[in-house]
Each structure stands twice: as C-alpha cells, then as structure tokens.
Amino acid sequence: MKQQTQPAPLVPVVVDTREQLPFFIHPIYDAKITKTVKGLKTGDYSLVGFEDKIAIERKSIKDLYGSLTHGRKRFEAEFERFRDYEFSAVVVEASTHQILHPAQHDRYWRSKTNPASIFQSILSWTVRYPTKWILTKDRLEAEATTYHLLRHYWNAKQPVQQTFEI
C-alpha cells in the first residue's frame, strides 16, 4: 500500500490595508496562499490567527531611506512594537551594495543622505532589537523571501501532519 500525506494547507497571509505595493498579486501565489487584506497593528504582512505573533515589514530602498531619516521616530516605534512578537523581520528590496551605492542602481536617485549612515543604522538596530533584517537583490526576491518566512512560521505552528495508507 502507498502512503500518502495530506496536501499542505494554503498559507493564510494577511496584508495590511496600508500596504501601497502589496506582494502576492502574481497568479503563482494563488495555489500557495489565501490572502486577507485588513489593518495590522504593525508590519505589512502576517498570518490569519497569528497577527499578534508574526509581523513582516517590507521596505523598498526609497522607503528605507525615508524611514531611517525623516520617519525615524515612527519607524523606531514600530521596532518597539515588534518586541512583543515571536517573530519579526524587515525585508528590504535592496542588497547591501544597493543601499551603500544607490545612485549606481537608480539613475534618478536624489537623496542627500549619506548611505553609510543608513547602513550603520541597520547594523545598530540589528544589535539593539530582536527584529531580523533581510536584504534581498530586488522586489521579486523580497516577495519570495516574505512568502517563505510566512510559510515556515505557519508550518511550524501546525500540528504534525498525519500519514495514512491507501
């Protein structure tokens, strides 16, 4: 007799209503997730039933620079809220090189902020807060990373799957 395992359930992703460029609009995710759009206390992504346990914040490079300069106080308050979560992460749609040399990657880059100060803030906050920073090469990689973080958390919280014989 063959053993079969039940198919993995769809990952019940929550997208914050304030997320302006949401992930998971590509049809490839239709077979992997269910998507609920609702207001989250903090972060851009979570899981149904775990909204107070897992939070993932997405940042484009432009958002990152803004959040660590003129929006720093609000962003740091978010990191304080993240302390109450079992898992929190900031997934950045940029690599270390892109953060340190933004004009090489965007010919329209106009920020006067010293890129080294942005990178040093990331390093400092990595030590100061339990929130993980994940730098990716681009938006597609950031989206996949966010999906897999949510999926791994979801799977870790599920009861052990039963196998049965047919």
Side-chain angles (χ1 to χ4, degrees):
M1 291 205 172
K2 275 169 70 176
Q3 273 196 355
Q4 288 189 345
T5 59
Q6 297 174 345
L10 299 179
V11 179
V13 174
V14 178
V15 180
D16 186 64
T17 54
R18 295 164 297 224
E19 178 66 338
Q20 294 185 1
L21 292 170
F23 286 157
F24 312 127
I25 59 171
H26 191 280
I28 193 170
Y29 290 103
D30 292 348
K32 298 178 179 184
I33 70 167
T34 59
K35 185 167 53 174
T36 302
V37 178
K38 72 179 196 178
L40 292 171
K41 183 172 90 173
T42 196
D44 296 318
Y45 299 93
S46 190
L47 293 165
V48 171
F50 295 91
E51 294 91 342
D52 61 344
K53 304 285 185 207
I54 179 172
I56 298 175
E57 177 73 15
R58 176 197 65 83
K59 288 291 177 201
S60 68
I61 191 167
K62 185 178 177 183
D63 292 337
L64 177 67
Y65 269 68
S67 294
L68 289 172
T69 55
H70 63 270
R72 189 179 187 94
K73 191 173 190 176
R74 182 199 59 78
F75 196 38
E76 194 157 13
E78 185 165 33
F79 272 69
E80 289 295 337
R81 289 189 302 275
F82 283 155
R83 287 184 188 276
D84 296 333
Y85 287 71
E86 285 182 10
F87 178 84
S88 61
V90 177
V91 177
V92 181
E93 299 174 359
S95 66
T96 300
H97 192 272
Q98 291 167 317
I99 292 167
L100 289 171
H101 307 282
Q104 290 181 12
H105 300 276
D106 180 355
R107 66 182 175 167
Y108 300 109
W109 190 258
R110 296 291 178 254
S111 176
K112 300 287 188 224
T113 303
N114 181 346
S117 69
I118 296 298
F119 192 66
Q120 290 303 314
S121 288
I122 291 170
L123 296 177
S124 172
W125 287 20
T126 298
V127 171
R128 191 177 325 158
Y129 297 103
T131 299
K132 289 143 183 68
W133 286 84
I134 302 172
L135 309 180
T136 65
K137 69 178 182 173
D138 57 24
R139 182 174 168 82
L140 286 176
E141 189 173 282
E143 179 179 45
T145 299
T146 300
Y147 163 72
H148 288 293
L149 289 169
L150 292 167
R151 179 179 65 83
H152 284 297
Y153 187 92
W154 175 252
N155 288 340
K157 296 301 179 179
Q158 299 309 299
V160 176
Q161 287 189 346
Q162 299 293 320
T163 60
F164 58 93
E165 293 192 26
I166 55 171

